[in-house]
């Protein structure tokens, strides 16, 4: 069932999202060569608790950590670990915040230390794809309009869009209907209505879009060992257009680009 949120509920989710976005901003300085994803997870969890919120991923379907931290060819749901990051790594940090029942969800990618042209291209294309998808999140549009905008742009840039993991509704739990693929046909799928709150979270690979599950039952990685990047926002569908609930304070230019 799809729940339509009231303006009060959306405002509460935006307050939750502001906490989440602020932590992502702090991670920019925290993530550097030598830091472990275990330390990233502990940093994020402490910040969430300090803000008077909780980390709803802990215990969700048996998951044990506040964050998913996926490195290089890992697409999503990577476990935090005590392996130091090195220069040139690409780490994706995905987490949720629960502020008195108001949920938010956002993933951001971080290039550790020195970058490469391949990394820069993957990073910038994935981030732009996110905002192209968000631009289609208008009342009266269809789910397929979001996926089509993302897929056509990404593939034109010589990259691929993951099919096995997609966006979703959020609230009252982390994963709700509707499903939001990052590929598809324009004009197809569920029609978007005012009050829906969804995530758009394209996962983009340098090689094949196909994935393989690791033995832990959670972490997915690219089938061919290529790099994978992800950016995600939570947003509300409003009569005035998409309202990003997890927007980082100094990233307004990305929305307008």
């Amino acid at each position: 069932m799809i729940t339509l949120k009231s303006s009060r509920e959306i405002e509460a989710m935006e307050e939750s999202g502001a906490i989440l976005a602020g932590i992502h901003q702090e991670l920019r300085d925290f993530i550097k060569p030598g830091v472990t994803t275990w330390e990233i997870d502990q940093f994020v969890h402490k910040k969430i608790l300090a803000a008077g919120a909780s980390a709803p991923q802990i215990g969700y379907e048996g998951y044990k950590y506040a964050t998913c931290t996926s490195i290089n060819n890992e697409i999503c749901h990577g476990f935090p670990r005590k392996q130091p990051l090195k220069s040139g790594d690409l780490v994706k940090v995905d987490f949720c915040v629960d502020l008195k029942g108001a949920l938010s969800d956002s993933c951001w990618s971080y290039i550790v230390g020195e970058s490469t042209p391949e990394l820069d291209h993957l990073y910038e294309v994935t981030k732009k794809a996110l905002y192209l998808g968000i631009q289609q999140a208008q009342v009266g549009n269809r789910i397929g309009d979001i996926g089509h905008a993302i897929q056509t742009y990404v593939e034109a840039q010589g990259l691929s869009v993951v099919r096995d993991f997609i966006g979703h509704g959020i609230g009252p739990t982390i994963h709700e209907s509707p499903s939001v693929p990052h590929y598809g046909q324009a004009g197809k799928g569920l029609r978007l209505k005012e009050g829906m709150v969804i995530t758009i979270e394209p996962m983009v690979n340098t090689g094949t879009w196909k994935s393989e599950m690791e033995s832990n039952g959670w972490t997915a990685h690219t089938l061919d060992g290529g790099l994978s990047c992800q950016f995600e926002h939570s947003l509300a569908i409003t009569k005035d257009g998409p309202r990003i609930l997890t927007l980082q304070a100094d990233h307004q230019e990305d929305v307008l680009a």
Side-chain angles (χ1 to χ4, degrees):
M1 184 178 69
I2 298 171
T3 61
L4 301 180
K5 278 69 174 180
S6 67
S7 58
R8 179 178 297 179
E9 288 172 314
I10 290 170
E11 287 171 5
M13 295 177 82
E14 190 168 43
E15 186 177 353
S16 171
I19 294 170
L20 195 161
I23 296 171
H24 270 307
Q25 287 181 253
E26 292 187 71
L27 284 174
R28 295 182 212 168
D29 292 327
F30 185 80
I31 294 175
K32 60 188 66 176
V35 169
T36 69
T37 54
W38 178 265
E39 291 170 326
I40 292 171
D41 185 78
Q42 297 299 299
F43 177 88
V44 169
H45 194 194
K46 288 177 182 177
K47 291 290 182 179
I48 291 172
L49 295 177
S54 62
Q57 287 180 194
I58 298 175
Y60 181 77
E61 296 186 355
Y63 194 74
K64 298 179 180 180
Y65 309 101
T67 67
C68 297
T69 51
S70 308
I71 305 169
N72 295 333
N73 70 326
E74 295 172 344
I75 296 171
C76 59
H77 306 153
F79 287 4
R81 71 211 81 165
K82 297 181 180 180
Q83 168 190 340
L85 294 168
K86 61 184 185 300
S87 185
D89 280 341
L90 177 63
V91 60
K92 289 78 70 176
V93 183
D94 187 2
F95 63 97
C96 300
V97 168
D98 183 339
L99 181 65
K100 301 175 182 177
L103 296 175
S104 57
D105 184 2
S106 177
C107 177
W108 217 249
S109 289
Y110 300 87
I111 297 172
V112 182
E114 297 295 321
S115 189
T116 66
E118 180 186 40
L119 267 178
D120 288 340
H121 180 63
L122 176 63
Y123 184 97
E124 294 301 331
V125 168
T126 308
K127 186 163 68 169
K128 184 172 180 179
L130 166 66
Y131 290 107
L132 289 174
I134 289 173
Q135 287 172 10
Q136 296 299 316
Q138 308 282 347
V139 172
N141 276 6
R142 293 186 180 272
I143 291 287
D145 296 323
I146 296 172
H148 180 75
I150 292 170
Q151 181 183 10
T152 53
Y153 170 68
V154 167
E155 291 180 354
Q157 299 300 314
L159 303 172
S160 65
V161 178
V162 171
R163 309 287 203 275
D164 298 327
F165 301 93
I166 58 178
H168 51 85
I170 182 170
T173 67
I174 295 174
H175 284 174
E176 295 278 342
S177 295
S179 297
V180 186
H182 306 111
Y183 58 94
Q185 292 181 284
K188 300 291 185 180
L190 182 77
R191 195 175 296 279
L192 299 172
K193 295 182 179 180
E194 183 178 2
M196 288 181 178
V197 179
I198 62 174
T199 72
I200 299 177
E201 47 184 296
M203 287 150 265
V204 175
N205 299 345
T206 56
T208 180
W209 59 263
K210 295 180 179 179
S211 66
E212 186 173 55
M213 188 66 67
E214 295 184 7
S215 59
N216 63 25
W218 281 93
T219 307
H221 60 81
T222 59
L223 191 61
D224 61 1
L227 294 171
S228 186
C229 189
Q230 182 187 9
F231 289 96
E232 174 191 14
H233 276 311
S234 299
L235 59 135
I237 310 299
T238 80
K239 60 181 175 55
D240 299 317
R243 178 174 172 180
I244 301 175
L245 307 179
T246 50
L247 186 63
Q248 296 175 33
D250 57 352
H251 277 194
Q252 185 67 34
E253 70 278 6
D254 293 326
V255 182
L256 303 175

